[in-house]
Amino acid sequence: MNILVVTVGKLKEKYLKMGIDEYVKRLGPYAKIEIVEVADEKAPETLSDQEMQIVKKAEGERILAKIPQDAHVVAMAIEGKLISSEDLAKNLDQLATYGKSKVAFVIGGSLGLSDEVMKRANEKISFGRITYPHQLMKLVLVEQIYRAFRINRGEPYHK
């Protein structure tokens, strides 16, 4: 399986980079994983609704340019379907079974994902109703992808 994780913004925190690198390395025997960062749109701290839409649209265009046409797209969205680790594992297993070997997970910037990205998504999932910083979400997501492969293989992993 080929997994693409597209995120907005450059990861600067060394401790998060180290954690992501560790899970990417652990995923090596299970899947090919690529993490792509697209530039975030520079914007002032306070924005009008219209300005927010402009920022999300610009970031969304960068995201969509990185997603292959034949990829199954999973948008990480707070309003998405709440899923468990087991649900994610089952979902990835079903995608592989039915020939969807390219899966793209998308994490938006601080304002979320554009309408265009949400329309392109085949599904929208959430790891909870709390807001995570998008940089931390990248680490949580790659850990959950690793956990999903361990679950699907029946291999032990802490609960």
Side-chain angles (χ1 to χ4, degrees):
M1 183 169 266
N2 293 297
I3 296 177
L4 174 66
V5 177
V6 182
T7 65
V8 173
K10 189 130 181 89
L11 190 59
K12 297 174 186 86
E13 294 83 359
K14 187 176 180 180
Y15 68 97
L16 291 174
K17 284 183 186 177
M18 290 171 57
I20 291 165
D21 290 346
E22 177 62 27
Y23 285 109
V24 167
K25 183 177 82 176
R26 289 182 187 191
L27 273 161
Y30 304 104
K32 180 179 179 243
I33 184 165
E34 180 183 6
I35 297 179
V36 174
E37 297 174 334
V38 300
D40 55 346
E41 191 69 9
K42 302 300 176 221
E45 196 67 33
T46 55
L47 299 169
S48 69
D49 286 345
Q50 184 179 6
E51 289 170 322
M52 281 192 237
Q53 293 307 317
I54 291 168
V55 168
K56 290 196 313 187
K57 185 172 177 56
E59 291 174 349
E61 288 170 359
R62 292 182 194 125
I63 290 168
L64 292 170
K66 299 296 182 183
I67 298 173
Q69 284 299 112
D70 58 344
H72 180 88
V73 179
V74 180
M76 302 302 300
I78 199 164
E79 69 276 10
K81 179 182 174 193
L82 283 170
I83 65 164
S84 66
S85 298
E86 292 78 12
D87 292 336
L88 180 62
K90 187 189 316 182
N91 192 5
L92 288 175
D93 191 47
Q94 287 177 339
L95 288 170
T97 299
Y98 294 106
K100 292 285 186 182
S101 63
K102 291 182 187 172
V103 179
F105 289 90
V106 181
I107 301 171
S110 59
L111 299 176
L113 292 166
S114 70
D115 292 341
E116 293 80 10
V117 172
M118 295 300 268
K119 286 178 188 142
R120 171 63 178 91
N122 299 95
E123 59 185 306
K124 300 160 192 75
I125 63 171
S126 175
F127 289 164
R129 296 294 182 229
I130 61 173
T131 302
Y132 293 94
H134 56 279
Q135 299 91 341
L136 178 59
M137 191 64 219
K138 191 184 313 186
L139 174 60
V140 172
L141 176 61
V142 294
E143 186 279 334
Q144 286 296 305
I145 293 168
Y146 173 68
R147 183 182 296 265
F149 278 99
R150 299 284 296 192
I151 290 168
N152 286 339
R153 298 272 173 94
E155 297 171 352
Y157 195 75
H158 60 83
K159 296 182 185 226

